[in-house]
Amino acid sequence: MVKVVITGDFHIGLVGALDDEIIYDLAGSWWKNKPVLLIGDFVDVGLHHGMQFSQKFPPAEQIERARRIFEIMDVKGYVLGNHDKRFFKEVGLNPFFDILGKPCHYVTIDNTLFYIFHGKSAAESVFAEHNKLMRFVRADTIVAGHSHVLAKMDVLQNNKRVTLIRSGSFVRNAEYATDSGLPPTITGFCEYDTYRCIARLYMVNERGQVTEI
């Protein structure tokens, strides 16, 4: 039995995101000795070619804080998010390659096949992107981030159960969300039990306290 941590959308450095020390503490406690899948947007990286939000510190410091967290994780796979890719487009480098290796979409852990992607839209239907992917993706679990929604659902695909997951975020009151009239989101992460084939959702508050939803 393996419990796989599925998390992302840290947006380190963004005003409105939980302090990255909370994520660091989770990595050293709740996520310790567990395989981790990272779903992108680890940093905020408001560069001049992209959207710019209120940030607590510049991109270089955001990246170093993210790397500090990754060093104590057992990362089995990751993808870059749209915010991480801004840095890539600006300087032509993946700032996490030397510590995390090459991004990948398919990861097998304890005979469970995961397909991970960051996501491209915050569609009204939480699992709209998953439904499109299921036309050509075959996996036991399909995971997306980006929307900052924390959710799970089991569906049947060719008489086989497939778990769909939205991995949540660590952003509650982002400036752009407030300006758009969007409500605060639940901050947290997901954990997938490969033996029971069950996804569990965990809420994390601004003090770093963890509660199963």
Side-chain angles (χ1 to χ4, degrees), residues 51 53 121-124 146-149 171-186:
M51 301 166 69
F53 312 128
S121 70
E124 290 184 11
H146 187 67
S147 68
H148 296 185
V149 174
V171 179
R172 180 163 175 77
N173 289 304
E175 180 184 84
Y176 66 88
T178 302
D179 290 345
S180 301
L182 299 174
T185 54
I186 294 174

Side-chain angles (χ1 to χ4, degrees), residues 95-151:
F96 308 118
F97 180 82
D98 64 328
I99 190 169
L100 297 179
K102 185 179 180 180
C104 58
H105 288 294
Y106 285 100
V107 183
T108 300
I109 301 174
D110 193 32
N111 295 317
T112 299
L113 179 60
F114 295 85
Y115 182 88
I116 60 175
F117 73 115
H118 180 66
K120 295 182 178 180
S121 70
E124 290 184 11
S125 173
V126 173
F127 296 109
E129 291 182 296
H130 294 72
N131 291 333
K132 291 178 182 178
L133 278 172
M134 288 180 68
R135 299 172 187 172
F136 55 89
V137 168
R138 295 294 179 264
D140 300 304
T141 302
I142 302 176
V143 183
H146 187 67
S147 68
H148 296 185
V149 174
L150 185 59

Side-chain angles (χ1 to χ4, degrees), residues 32-159:
K32 187 175 182 179
N33 298 324
K34 295 177 182 177
V36 178
L37 297 176
L38 296 171
I39 317 300
D41 276 0
F42 314 121
V43 293
D44 199 60
V45 187
L47 299 170
H48 66 276
H49 291 305
M51 301 166 69
Q52 297 192 34
F53 312 128
S54 298
Q55 299 185 3
K56 292 178 280 190
F57 25 80
E61 185 174 348
Q62 294 175 27
I63 289 167
E64 287 308 309
R65 287 171 180 252
R67 290 167 61 90
R68 172 175 174 257
I69 294 169
F70 298 155
E71 286 175 352
I72 61 172
M73 285 183 179
D74 182 15
V75 179
K76 298 299 186 184
Y78 81 105
V79 291
L80 294 176
N82 53 299
H83 286 257
D84 310 308
K85 288 179 180 177
R86 286 193 198 132
F87 185 89
F88 181 84
K89 290 177 181 178
E90 185 78 10
V91 301
L93 295 172
N94 174 353
F96 308 118
F97 180 82
D98 64 328
I99 190 169
L100 297 179
K102 185 179 180 180
C104 58
H105 288 294
Y106 285 100
V107 183
T108 300
I109 301 174
D110 193 32
N111 295 317
T112 299
L113 179 60
F114 295 85
Y115 182 88
I116 60 175
F117 73 115
H118 180 66
K120 295 182 178 180
S121 70
E124 290 184 11
S125 173
V126 173
F127 296 109
E129 291 182 296
H130 294 72
N131 291 333
K132 291 178 182 178
L133 278 172
M134 288 180 68
R135 299 172 187 172
F136 55 89
V137 168
R138 295 294 179 264
D140 300 304
T141 302
I142 302 176
V143 183
H146 187 67
S147 68
H148 296 185
V149 174
L150 185 59
K152 62 177 181 177
M153 181 172 68
D154 290 328
V155 299
L156 284 177
Q157 182 186 53
N158 299 325
N159 294 319

